[in-house]
Amino acid sequence: MSNVEISLKEIMTSIEGALGTALVDYTSGMALGTLGGGKDLDLTVAAAGNTDVIRAKTRTMEHLGLTGEIEDMLITLGSQYHIIQPLKGRSGNGLFLYLVLDKGKSNLAMARHQLKRVGLDLHV
């Protein structure tokens, strides 16, 4: 089992309310691994779409002259949270973790903390 598979399983089992997760290459928009999701949550489509989100934010930051890094991005829907978290370090360059949470069953602060922890341990 690869480190990616292990990390995605850890996300799905350790984060309460997790509905689906993916590791995404935002240079190509390709999901390098997915777990969860379903017919109403196509993680490969979400991976490609969220690549556009992270690219747009990065471009906007460049235009504004902002020098900080994106820690994570949160999209709140009626019944879900969507978290986009770029990976740090050499092995994570150009990659992000994507997590979809059931809003009524999750603790957003804990989910962000757990996702960051898994991301720091992930080596691709």
Side-chain angles (χ1 to χ4, degrees), residues 61-62 64-70:
M61 288 174 64
E62 288 171 3
L64 293 172
L66 299 175
T67 56
E69 294 180 339
I70 298 170

Side-chain angles (χ1 to χ4, degrees), residues 40-82:
D40 294 329
L41 179 58
D42 186 331
L43 291 169
T44 56
V45 172
N50 284 305
T51 294
D52 292 337
V53 172
I54 203 162
R55 285 180 186 163
K57 185 59 186 173
T58 301
R59 220 176 16 255
T60 301
M61 288 174 64
E62 288 171 3
H63 291 309
L64 293 172
L66 299 175
T67 56
E69 294 180 339
I70 298 170
E71 186 173 322
D72 63 24
M73 300 169 76
L74 172 65
I75 300 167
T76 305
L77 303 178
S79 63
Q80 297 175 343
Y81 293 122
H82 293 236

Side-chain angles (χ1 to χ4, degrees), residues 1-11 21 23 32-35 87 91-92 95 97 117-124:
M1 193 178 308
S2 77
N3 189 23
V4 172
E5 291 174 86
I6 292 168
S7 295
L8 295 178
K9 282 185 180 182
E10 184 175 352
I11 289 168
T21 188
L23 176 65
L32 303 178
T34 64
L35 191 60
L87 296 182
S91 68
L95 303 177
L97 284 170
R117 186 187 57 73
V118 171
L120 289 172
D121 292 339
L122 180 61
H123 301 284
V124 181

Side-chain angles (χ1 to χ4, degrees), residues 19-40:
L19 299 174
T21 188
L23 176 65
V24 184
D25 177 344
Y26 64 81
T27 58
S28 68
M30 182 180 292
L32 303 178
T34 64
L35 191 60
K39 73 176 185 81
D40 294 329

